């Protein structure tokens, strides 16, 4: 009997003492990639550090072996396996080997997330809020009042909803000027501008853009998609120059306004030209939508390719490009992608569509912080229309396009490493 008890205790000790890591694979074997990011965020929120294994099986996660964590993995339908200390050590040695393009990035701090979005319901969805909600990652909605009251400093990461920072209400005038949501939006924006001491919406949005840029300069993380990318830089470059026509702000644009733009103020783009027709659904020639249509791109042949970076020498873009495939379906938006000739030379291009001569996914450093711009509206809806139903991510749990969004969510949690020399 004693021998039987000893054998049982030895086996129990073996299981609990050595099988003390949970491997969450992020390659093709994963049943739900998007929920896996939510698990990583949840573990961090429990004050448990985790390891992100860069370039190993699609950017897999190594978690502490805890009963609560295993239960959460099961509930959320995320694939995992329990491995021993010995196997975990072998993994660490494999990733740290100078001959491998892999590395282990320790994630320690759960990032506090904000989404810059109007509180009122608009007739379009947002891929980032869809991804956050599906992955069960909490976030706060902030808008003009919070930013003007300098509340942004309490957050680590900010996403820009489909905002128009130029003050032209998305240039929806020609199509939607008589729609109730458009009329109400204009009233709300004008009231907000007046509340904060500005005569025009464009002046308020410039002040907001400058506060966001200061947030990045101070060490914040900025992520933007679709029209929030180019309209943000256009507002910064204009820096108060009135290039807005009368149907948007009550008076005509200044003659030669574009010649006074200052591209040293922008994050990503330079030497771009405005689309000055106020009835055209386009801000500038930053966006490559029209040019790519001329190249006969369609849903069947439209893909962009991710670059692979050195995990040990370029950990930041490596984290942002972790995926189970490097070829991702393209998708449109008001701002679909970025013409290469207007992207600043110091910008890191992480994804491009060679057939269209465009950049799709770009990244940069500003001051102490980082920003990422991702062209397009919805990675799983090729050409989403205003008023259409939002994408049901239960149908796309392994979406590589949505994975890029969630890479950015975890990015601020990484422990800073000393640069290699």
């Amino acid at each position: 009997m004693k021998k039987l008890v000893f054998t049982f205790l030895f086996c129990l000790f073996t299981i609990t003492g050595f099988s003390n890591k949970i491997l969450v694979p992020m390659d093709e074997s994963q049943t739900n990639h998007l929920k896996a990011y939510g698990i990583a965020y949840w573990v961090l929120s429990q004050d448990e550090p985790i390891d992100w294994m860069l370039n190993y099986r699609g950017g897999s996660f190594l978690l502490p072996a805890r009963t609560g964590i295993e239960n959460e993995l099961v509930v959320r339908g995320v694939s995992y396996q329990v491995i021993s200390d010995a196997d975990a050590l072998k993994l660490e040695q494999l990733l740290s080997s100078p001959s491998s393009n892999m590395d282990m990035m320790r994630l320690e701090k759960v990032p506090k997330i904000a989404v810059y979005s109007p509180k009122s319901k608009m007739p379009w969805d947002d891929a980032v809020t869809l991804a956050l909600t599906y992955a069960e990652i909490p976030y706060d909605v902030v808008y003009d009042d919070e930013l003007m009251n300098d509340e942004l400093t309490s957050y680590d990461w900010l996403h820009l909803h489909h905002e128009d920072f130029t003050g032209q209400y998305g240039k929806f005038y020609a199509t939607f000027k008589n729609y109730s949501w458009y009329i109400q939006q204009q009233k709300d924006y004008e009231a907000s501008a007046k509340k904060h001491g500005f005569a025009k919406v464009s002046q308020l949005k410039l002040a907001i853009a400058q506060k966001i840029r200061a947030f990045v300069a101070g060490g914040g993380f900025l992520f933007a998609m679709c029209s929030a990318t180019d309209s943000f830089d256009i507002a910064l470059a204009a820096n108060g120059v009135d290039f807005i026509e009368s149907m948007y702000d009550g008076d005509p644009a200044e003659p030669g306004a574009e010649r006074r733009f200052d591209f040293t103020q922008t994050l990503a783009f330079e030497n771009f030209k405005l689309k000055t027709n106020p009835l055209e659904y386009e801000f500038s020639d930053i966006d490559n939508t029209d040019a790519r249509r001329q190249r006969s791109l369609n849903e069947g042949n439209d893909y962009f390719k991710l670059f692979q970076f050195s995990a040990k020498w370029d950990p930041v873009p490596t984290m942002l490009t972790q995926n189970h495939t490097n070829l991702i379906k393209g998708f449109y938006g008001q701002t679909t992608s970025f013409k290469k000739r207007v992207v600043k030379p110091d910008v890191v291009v992480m994804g491009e569509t060679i057939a269209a001569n465009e950049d799709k996914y770009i990244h940069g450093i500003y001051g102490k912080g980082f920003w990422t711009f991702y062209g397009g509206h919805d990675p799983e809806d090729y050409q989403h229309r205003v008023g259409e139903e939002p994408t049901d991510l239960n149908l796309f749990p392994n979406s590589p396009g949505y994975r890029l969004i969630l890479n950015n969510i975890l990015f601020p949690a990484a422990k800073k490493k000393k640069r290699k020399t």
Side-chain angles (χ1 to χ4, degrees):
M1 183 66 180
K2 288 183 179 179
K3 184 176 181 181
L4 183 60
V5 172
F6 175 81
T7 303
F8 173 77
L9 291 174
F10 176 80
C11 292
L12 182 63
F13 175 80
T14 301
I15 293 171
T16 59
F18 292 92
S19 300
N20 63 346
K21 292 291 183 182
I22 296 174
L23 172 64
V24 179
M26 294 295 279
D27 55 12
E28 293 83 356
S29 68
Q30 178 54 248
T31 54
N32 196 317
H33 288 96
L34 305 188
K35 291 281 189 183
Y37 287 95
I39 287 287
Y41 190 97
W42 180 82
V43 173
L44 289 171
S45 72
Q46 308 302 305
D47 295 323
E48 294 272 15
I50 66 177
D51 290 308
W52 196 356
M53 296 182 287
L54 306 181
N55 291 345
Y56 175 77
R57 296 183 64 181
S60 301
F61 300 109
L62 198 61
L63 315 178
R66 304 281 188 271
T67 301
I69 294 174
E70 284 198 67
N71 291 342
E72 201 69 26
L73 285 159
V74 172
V75 168
R76 301 196 193 190
V78 176
S79 304
Y80 73 96
Q81 63 186 98
V82 180
I83 64 173
S84 68
D85 274 345
D87 286 339
L89 180 59
K90 288 178 183 177
L91 270 179
E92 185 176 351
Q93 291 171 342
L94 171 66
L95 271 63
S96 62
S97 171
S99 62
S100 73
N101 184 20
M102 294 181 281
D103 204 0
M104 190 171 284
M105 180 63 66
R106 176 57 58 96
L107 305 183
E108 295 183 323
K109 177 190 175 185
V110 61
K112 190 175 181 183
I113 297 169
V115 174
Y116 177 78
S117 173
K119 305 299 195 298
S120 58
K121 181 176 174 57
M122 294 295 176
W124 55 83
D125 58 357
D126 174 71
V128 174
T129 53
L130 289 177
L132 290 170
T133 302
Y134 180 76
E136 302 177 58
I137 295 174
Y139 64 92
D140 294 333
V141 176
V142 299
Y143 207 50
D144 295 341
D145 287 350
E146 288 82 1
L147 267 70
M148 291 305 295
N149 291 330
D150 294 321
E151 295 178 25
L152 192 54
T153 55
S154 64
Y155 294 93
D156 302 299
W157 191 90
L158 176 68
H159 164 60
L160 307 181
H161 187 270
H162 296 284
E163 187 66 34
D164 173 7
F165 288 94
T166 69
Q168 297 175 94
Y169 311 112
K171 297 194 78 174
F172 285 126
Y173 184 83
T175 305
F176 297 108
K177 64 180 179 293
N178 294 320
Y179 281 63
S180 58
W181 64 263
Y182 181 94
I183 295 169
Q184 187 61 49
Q185 179 194 55
Q186 185 167 357
K187 289 180 180 178
D188 291 345
Y189 281 22
E190 289 173 350
S192 181
K194 183 177 180 181
K195 174 182 178 180
H196 292 289
F198 296 98
K200 297 181 179 181
V201 173
S202 59
Q203 295 169 347
L204 169 62
K205 292 302 177 182
L206 170 61
I208 294 293
Q210 290 172 334
K211 283 183 177 291
I212 293 171
R213 185 181 58 187
F215 163 75
V216 179
F221 299 80
L222 173 67
F223 180 81
M225 290 185 70
C226 204
S227 61
T229 59
D230 53 350
S231 73
F232 182 79
D233 262 11
I234 291 169
L236 290 173
N239 198 22
V241 176
D242 186 0
F243 64 95
I244 311 299
E245 291 296 348
S246 58
M247 68 276 294
Y248 298 119
D249 70 354
D251 57 31
E254 297 178 23
E258 190 176 47
R259 293 195 296 270
R260 295 169 56 195
F261 276 24
D262 181 2
F263 299 117
T264 66
Q265 301 297 307
T266 62
L267 297 183
F269 309 114
E270 64 182 4
N271 303 323
F272 51 80
K273 302 296 182 183
L274 295 176
K275 298 291 185 179
T276 56
N277 180 357
L279 304 182
E280 183 180 0
Y281 181 59
E282 184 67 275
F283 295 107
S284 74
D285 65 353
I286 294 172
D287 178 35
N288 201 45
T289 296
D290 288 341
R292 70 198 321 273
R293 284 175 174 153
Q294 294 170 9
R295 294 172 183 259
S296 300
L297 284 176
N298 56 58
E299 192 168 0
N301 66 1
D302 189 356
Y303 291 86
F304 67 97
K305 187 175 183 179
L306 293 179
F307 288 89
Q308 186 175 64
F309 296 89
S310 168
K312 294 180 175 64
W313 291 94
D314 296 305
V316 172
T318 302
M319 282 186 279
L320 298 179
T321 53
Q322 292 303 286
N323 226 305
H324 52 288
T325 177
N326 68 345
L327 197 62
I328 300 178
K329 293 186 300 182
F331 52 98
Y332 276 85
Q334 182 175 16
T335 303
T336 298
S337 52
F338 319 118
K339 287 187 174 71
K340 285 183 173 292
R341 61 177 174 78
V342 300
V343 175
K344 289 186 173 184
D346 61 339
V347 168
V348 178
V349 177
M350 301 184 296
E352 67 175 2
T353 308
I354 297 174
N357 192 32
E358 67 185 19
D359 297 332
K360 183 74 171 181
Y361 185 46
I362 60 178
H363 168 75
I365 300 172
Y366 185 78
K368 297 179 180 179
F370 302 87
W371 58 267
T372 302
F373 288 173
Y374 189 11
H377 182 94
D378 186 330
E380 293 297 341
D381 188 341
Y382 188 65
Q383 199 160 350
H384 191 84
R385 304 287 185 182
V386 171
E388 287 184 357
E389 289 297 313
T391 297
D392 182 359
L393 287 183
N394 288 297
L395 303 176
F396 305 101
N398 307 106
S399 169
Y402 269 93
R403 279 198 63 181
L404 297 182
I405 295 171
L406 293 172
N407 283 337
N408 283 268
I409 296 292
L410 289 185
F411 173 46
K415 180 182 180 181
K416 292 181 173 61
K417 291 187 175 184
K418 292 182 179 180
R419 290 185 61 86
K420 296 183 184 292
T421 57

